[in-house]
Amino acid sequence: FTTHIKNIGEMDYYIGTPASNPGQFTWDNCHSHNHYAGYAEYVLYDVNDFATPIGFKNGFCVMDLECDDGGDMTYGCGNMGISYDCGDIYAHYLDCQWIDITDVDTGQYVFVARVNWDQAPDANGNLEVTYDNNWAQACFHLERDTATGVTTIVLDTVCPAYLDCMG
């Protein structure tokens, strides 16, 4: 699936490079290079509000890919970040853009995608003004047919916003 992160703040979110900010990067075996840690986290909540961490996305090249709201493209793979009024997009056709639901039982779920969930500052020490808009959700029913081995997912377009213990 595609993950699109938009910087709607008033300043750039500067990341830099693995050499200049090694604490913000981790080695990724899927791509065999460093990734920016904390790009996105994916969690499933069942009907009992039990959270199942099902994956995360580390950005290997966090950059300005779209500036539809008037921002100026500044960042690329050599110097990472997201300019204000710009966004970064990890399209579904790129490697490792999936979550593993192999062991997830049949049932009703809320899928939550959160960015900068650890509320980390950028490489310059700047914090976001609010984290209220750093998430999105999709509700769905997962069904497994044990006879055929077919898994079906049906989206529920009318579901309440999920609130975790932090609100």
Side-chain angles (χ1 to χ4, degrees), residues 67-133:
C67 296
D68 296 340
D69 293 327
D72 294 322
M73 288 191 178
T74 304
Y75 301 103
C77 293
N79 189 29
M80 292 186 258
I82 304 176
S83 300
Y84 69 92
D85 286 340
C86 293
D88 185 29
I89 303 168
Y90 275 80
H92 66 279
Y93 54 80
L94 295 171
D95 286 342
C96 305
Q97 302 299 306
W98 47 267
I99 54 172
D100 186 356
I101 60 168
T102 303
D103 296 326
V104 176
D105 291 332
T106 294
Q108 203 67 24
Y109 294 93
V110 178
F111 170 75
V112 177
R114 303 187 288 203
V115 298
N116 195 13
W117 68 93
D118 57 355
Q119 300 182 2
D122 73 356
N124 293 326
N126 296 314
L127 294 169
E128 294 185 52
V129 174
T130 180
Y131 299 93
D132 294 345
N133 59 0

Side-chain angles (χ1 to χ4, degrees), residues 42-54 103-112 114 140 162-165:
Y42 309 116
V43 183
L44 273 184
Y45 293 96
D46 65 15
V47 293
N48 297 315
D49 294 333
F50 179 76
T52 302
I54 52 172
D103 296 326
V104 176
D105 291 332
T106 294
Q108 203 67 24
Y109 294 93
V110 178
F111 170 75
V112 177
R114 303 187 288 203
F140 67 92
Y162 181 80
L163 295 176
D164 63 13
C165 62

Side-chain angles (χ1 to χ4, degrees), residues 1 3 28-32 35 42 55-58 60 90-99:
F1 55 90
T3 302
D28 185 272
N29 290 327
C30 186
H31 290 125
S32 297
H35 282 198
Y42 309 116
F56 60 91
K57 175 63 187 152
N58 286 324
F60 75 93
Y90 275 80
H92 66 279
Y93 54 80
L94 295 171
D95 286 342
C96 305
Q97 302 299 306
W98 47 267
I99 54 172

